Amino acid sequence: MYMKNLSLLLLIFSVCCFIGCKTAKKALKRGDYDESVLRAADKLRESPNASTSADVLKQAYPLALQQNLDDVARYQNTSEAFHWEPVVNAYERLNKMYDALRKCPACERLVTVRSFIPEERAAREKAAAERYEAGMVAMRNKESRQMARQAYEHFEKCDALIGNYQNVHALLDESYEYASHKVVVEQVLVTSRMYQLSNEFFQNKVNEFLQTNKRLNKFVRFYSPQEASSIKLKPDHVIKLEFDDFVVGQTLIQSNTEVVTSKDSVQVGETTVAGKKIPVYNKVTAKLTKNRKSVLSSGLLDMQIMDFRTKSVVTQEKFRGDFNWFCEWGNFNGDERALTADQKRMTNTREINPPPPQQLFIEFSKPIYDRLTSKIRDYYKNY
């Protein structure tokens, strides 16, 4: 068994090496020299004597080296904006190959591995400086939301090139304040003391959604009225939520009595024939009463999105939620054998009380929450 398992593992390893060598060779043939080098290095690290991968590496690495250095020379000498970023990308690719080959002793015996870490660092510095300067130019017109967004994009790319370049984090915050579309959400108010806890549940769910999606898209920011008041915010939009109407615990009891008859004949007694007792069969009946209690709870939520500056309604929509709780029970008089299995189960069930009003409020508000948050997400996704 051990030898059999070992043979299977060796076979799988050989197949993987073959596939890896073949893939590296394919990458070489289509001119994807970087990919060919990385795949060959992976295989040679696992199997240092893989001759096909060795041949591929010896061909691909000089070609990959030259191709990336040609990119560096071409982009360094162009006058295009942000031309240092493709230079950084080329040096990143070269250093990625360097890292992969340094982890493979067999690879270092086959090719002369070169590092471009200082060159990449210098290119990053120049690329970051270029983005930083572009962001500062855009910030001269930061009162324009479009220009502030351009500034934010430049600072974001600058930060990606070199983390916290100069004071870029502070500039990201500042440009975002000018670039963002600010929305205050005024929560639902329910004055009834009975439903206060349930209403808090709905409010908390909406707040949780807004906190989780505080930046629903890159440039939309949600605030509670308390947050907005504390920073004296003048928002772009105000979302007002209000229940137009809700009903909790509207109860309907229905009762229906019918005579049911057994599907098949059953023994109902005995009779004597020629001195012998024989069973008597007939269908039997019972009077079955079915009871159903339904408790309907529903609500209609009104959402208005208002322009804070003009006080006009930008869009308005209503969301309905329903929850219908019910229980069924029954009783009968007569022969139990007239009942079906389902009818028997019903007669063994007793009337139960519905959930408390607060829970009913929560249940009908769940679909409202789903529809409301979906609408908010869709409305602001392209802002």
Side-chain angles (χ1 to χ4, degrees):
M1 178 64 75
Y2 172 77
M3 292 302 295
K4 188 174 180 180
N5 290 339
L6 182 60
S7 299
L8 181 60
L9 288 171
L10 289 171
L11 176 62
I12 293 171
F13 180 75
S14 300
V15 169
C16 290
C17 285
F18 173 74
I19 292 171
C21 293
K22 192 173 181 181
T23 306
K25 198 169 185 178
K26 280 185 176 180
L28 176 63
K29 284 184 178 180
R30 67 173 179 263
D32 193 347
Y33 304 131
D34 294 5
E35 182 70 13
S36 182
V37 168
L38 294 172
R39 288 186 175 275
D42 280 345
K43 296 310 161 189
L44 285 165
R45 191 163 58 249
E46 296 170 3
S47 180
N49 297 319
S51 58
T52 303
S53 291
D55 291 340
V56 168
L57 180 63
K58 285 189 285 187
Q59 293 178 66
Y61 185 61
L63 293 170
L65 201 64
Q66 191 58 53
Q67 187 179 65
N68 283 291
L69 289 174
D70 287 345
D71 285 347
V72 168
R74 181 168 68 256
Y75 288 116
Q76 275 182 337
N77 296 323
T78 185
S79 58
E80 292 180 10
F82 314 119
H83 64 279
W84 284 105
E85 288 172 33
V87 174
V88 171
N89 294 337
Y91 281 132
E92 274 186 331
R93 293 192 294 271
L94 287 165
N95 285 322
K96 184 177 180 181
M97 287 187 287
Y98 171 77
D99 290 340
L101 296 173
R102 283 298 304 272
K103 294 173 184 175
C104 171
C107 298
E108 291 191 287
R109 292 193 292 269
L110 296 168
V111 294
T112 302
V113 184
R114 291 182 59 185
S115 167
F116 295 88
I117 293 173
E119 291 86 348
E120 181 184 339
R121 190 181 300 117
R124 279 184 179 279
E125 185 72 31
K126 291 175 181 176
E130 197 172 21
R131 284 290 180 181
Y132 184 90
E133 180 58 30
M136 294 302 291
V137 170
M139 283 292 280
R140 293 172 190 165
N141 298 300
K142 61 187 178 183
E143 300 294 339
S144 160
R145 181 168 289 161
Q146 190 58 39
M147 293 304 293
R149 290 184 178 187
Q150 287 183 23
Y152 183 87
E153 299 282 0
H154 288 311
F155 292 138
E156 193 174 43
K157 289 177 181 176
C158 172
D159 190 49
L161 287 160
I162 297 179
N164 200 22
Y165 180 86
Q166 296 190 23
N167 62 333
V168 76
H169 284 180
L171 290 167
L172 277 167
D173 291 339
E174 183 183 359
S175 58
Y176 184 81
E177 283 304 310
Y178 285 95
S180 61
H181 191 87
K182 301 170 184 66
V183 182
V184 173
V185 181
E186 292 185 357
Q187 278 280 23
V188 181
L189 291 177
V190 175
T191 56
S192 171
R193 184 175 298 175
M194 180 183 292
Y195 307 119
Q196 185 176 358
L197 179 61
S198 301
N199 184 55
E200 286 178 1
F201 169 84
F202 184 80
Q203 288 184 338
N204 290 340
K205 288 292 289 180
V206 174
N207 281 335
E208 181 184 329
F209 169 79
L210 297 174
Q211 289 298 322
T212 305
N213 301 275
K214 195 170 278 287
R215 295 185 180 184
L216 195 59
N217 79 24
K218 197 170 191 176
F219 293 111
V220 175
R221 172 73 188 267
F222 293 101
Y223 298 83
S224 69
Q226 294 77 14
E227 289 176 313
S229 177
S230 67
I231 60 175
K232 297 180 172 57
L233 177 73
K234 291 185 178 179
D236 298 286
H237 281 171
V238 175
I239 299 179
K240 293 187 174 184
L241 304 176
E242 186 175 359
F243 277 108
D244 282 351
D245 186 29
F246 66 85
V247 175
V248 175
Q250 185 175 7
T251 303
L252 174 66
I253 298 178
Q254 297 168 298
S255 184
N256 178 54
T257 300
E258 60 179 327
V259 176
V260 295
T261 303
S262 60
K263 182 179 179 182
D264 301 313
S265 294
V266 297
Q267 184 176 347
V268 294
E270 292 181 332
T271 188
T272 303
V273 177
K276 289 185 177 181
K277 288 187 177 181
I278 60 173
V280 175
Y281 291 90
N282 204 347
K283 292 187 176 182
V284 294
T285 62
K287 185 181 286 187
L288 174 66
T289 299
K290 298 178 184 177
N291 303 295
R292 179 184 174 98
K293 180 192 285 185
S294 301
V295 179
L296 176 65
S297 301
S298 63
L300 187 65
L301 181 76
D302 179 70
M303 179 197 74
Q304 293 183 19
I305 299 180
M306 300 185 65
D307 185 294
F308 180 78
R309 185 177 58 83
T310 65
K311 307 301 185 224
S312 60
V313 176
V314 179
T315 188
Q316 182 174 15
E317 193 160 338
K318 296 182 186 293
F319 306 97
R320 183 174 185 83
D322 297 282
F323 177 69
N324 189 17
W325 177 93
F326 69 91
C327 75
E328 294 179 323
W329 71 99
N331 54 72
F332 75 96
N333 289 315
D335 196 317
E336 186 183 70
R337 294 174 296 175
L339 305 178
T340 65
D342 286 342
Q343 290 168 341
K344 286 180 184 178
R345 279 194 291 271
M346 179 183 289
T347 61
N348 289 325
T349 303
R350 295 292 174 261
E351 179 184 3
I352 59 175
N353 292 323
Q358 290 183 348
Q359 185 60 38
L360 294 173
F361 191 108
I362 288 172
E363 293 301 330
F364 87 70
S365 69
K366 284 179 180 177
I368 294 177
Y369 166 81
D370 291 338
R371 291 164 192 152
L372 169 68
T373 52
S374 177
K375 177 65 179 181
I376 292 174
R377 189 187 303 277
D378 289 343
Y379 186 80
Y380 285 107
K381 68 182 179 183
N382 295 320
Y383 263 74

